Amino acid sequence: MKKLLIITTSILMATQLNAQTPQLRADNIDEVIAAMTIDEKVQMLVGGGNSGFAGSGAFMGHQEKLVAGAAGITVAIPRLGIPATVLSDGPAGVHIDSHRKGTSQTYYATGFPIGTALASTWNTTLVRQVGEAIGNETLEYGCDVILGPGMNLHRNPLCGRNFEYYSEDPILTGIIGTAMVKGIQSQGVGVSAKHFAVNSQESDRTRVDERVSQRALRELYLRGFEMMVRESDPWTLMSSYNKINGVYAQGNYDLLTKVLRDDWGFKGIVMTDWIGLRSDLPVADEVHAGNDLLMPGYPAQAKIMVEDIKSGKINMDDVNRNVKRMLEYIVRTPHFKGYKFSDKPDMKAHAAITRQSSTEGMVLLKNAGALPLKQVDKVALFGVNSYDFMSGGLGSGCVNVPYVVDMVTGLKNANISTTPQLTEIYQSYVKYAKAKLKADKNPEMWFLDQGQPKLDEIDITSRCIQHELPEADAAIITIGRQAGEGIDRSIDGEFNLSKQEQDMIFRVSDAFHAANKPVIVVINSGSVMETASWRDRADAVLVAWQPGEEGGNSIADVLTGKSNPSG
């Protein structure tokens, strides 16, 4: 009887304890906060990118990587019914690993046109459709937030991440960004619009101090963000690495609270860019400024936060405020709602969307009657990037795509063939260069132009022109430029043509024009470049940007007149 009494008492106590432990719902957030320990509150404010932290006897423990290749996660607290949520890089599509151990299934995402190309469409309806497709893939691949759109201005034409951003114009940026956010979030997932704010360069991006007047700040660098915040209710914003007038953006109370929340009415969370612990920025400043989530999350940050709360350096009111915002975010997410994602979005439908949106964003810089192509059955296709076409940029804005349609394939699909000898030479080179890149396994070599053996296009041009000329009805030259995160572009060889490229254009132009055959130049670049020194040698110049995985088909649609470039 005594043993039975003990068991009964234990069950009763456990039942009472469970009854006193609230499980998170949308309508009991304050109750959950009241039930949280200091360690649990800190766990909400520090991302789960790194395992473990020792704080007041608690241990965060390893947080399982829920989606392979995702950028980060928030921390789960099962005791309170709080799930982890998944943050995926963007903004031209979902950036996750395409292959996973233990399965032959692939997890490719659609490569959509870069931000600059989308802004060049001036079509908010179309941009919203792109956003809906990106949001759907975010949802079906088990992610809760995509880290985009990129809302910074093209202040410097050499910025390595300009391809992620829309424009040098704040109004266009605000309008297109608003359409993108509405499209993505219509699918029940969130955005993290970035990088807030005045993130205008990649060189020394984590330390640079952007000095700017209040008028320029409000009218230029903040205007697009303001429009987007007021009109689309983004779930999250990402604070930038840089300083603004001497204060780090992620610890800037005036920016993150007074401007963003008090002036604009922002209701979501602010997360840091992926910087971790800064030696010259107290964690207390970040918490007070209104930076709700420190990403990717390091044990040292959590430990310091606990210590600062106990010592009074961090005000508990600030902590509770930030935790409440985090829980308000979490209850909106697919993971909280228990959504059963498929890992199988409709890639075919999304490919059609990217093909349409990329053609509308292309810019026809010049056309002296050469386009649309008429009575052209075969072309001589020059330039490595005709065969190694670049669908998007590098870094966190890169997407692991299932395929990229190059110029040869796109033209073939439009019933235009390419001269076989030239095509074979270029394709053989691209195959060799890619194999060497893989064999070298050098992470510094982001693309073929870095550290790879250079194809002597002048030699190829000289040898092939006379052979190709009788066969071809026109010449098409593709000039490619790649850029990415962490480094800005140079003037020589990137903004300007290299001597090799210029000589190629001149020689092709001289030969084909002598035979009264047109020369078209296609620019496959996410960044702007100089054209004044060579544009007179071309009969048409088409800026295709980096138009996504259907790039070759999209360009062929424009060259043949099937679609109009409206950029």
Side-chain angles (χ1 to χ4, degrees), residues 177-179 181-182 185 227-235:
T178 296
V181 172
K182 286 182 175 179
Q185 295 194 162
M227 293 171 64
M228 180 268 303
V229 166
R230 289 184 184 275
E231 297 171 25
S232 65
D233 184 29
W235 287 15

Side-chain angles (χ1 to χ4, degrees), residues 279-343:
S279 61
D280 55 347
L281 176 62
V283 170
D285 288 1
E286 296 177 87
V287 174
H288 176 66
N291 220 318
D292 307 294
L293 179 61
L294 309 185
M295 293 301 293
Y298 286 87
Q301 290 172 296
K303 183 178 180 180
I304 291 170
M305 196 180 295
V306 169
E307 292 171 351
D308 284 356
I309 291 170
K310 292 180 177 180
S311 70
K313 289 182 181 178
I314 294 179
N315 190 309
M316 203 64 202
D317 289 342
D318 289 342
V319 172
N320 289 334
R321 176 200 65 194
N322 293 5
V323 170
K324 184 172 185 177
R325 291 173 188 157
M326 284 297 300
L327 296 180
E328 288 171 343
Y329 148 72
I330 287 170
V331 298
R332 303 173 82 173
T333 63
H335 266 101
F336 177 79
K337 295 176 180 178
Y339 181 76
K340 305 299 183 184
F341 56 90
S342 68
D343 276 333

Side-chain angles (χ1 to χ4, degrees), residues 246-260:
V247 180
Y248 280 115
Q250 66 192 78
N252 193 323
Y253 181 84
D254 287 348
L255 179 70
L256 302 185
T257 294
K258 288 186 177 180
V259 172
L260 179 60

Side-chain angles (χ1 to χ4, degrees), residues 67-68 94-110 137 140-141 341-345 347 399-402:
V67 177
V94 180
H95 183 120
I96 56 175
D97 291 347
S98 56
H99 295 79
R100 298 177 188 174
K101 292 181 180 179
T103 178
S104 60
Q105 181 180 337
T106 57
Y107 301 82
Y108 291 111
T110 304
E137 292 191 16
E140 294 302 337
Y141 275 134
F341 56 90
S342 68
D343 276 333
K344 294 179 180 179
M347 302 291 283
V399 181
N400 291 319
V401 296

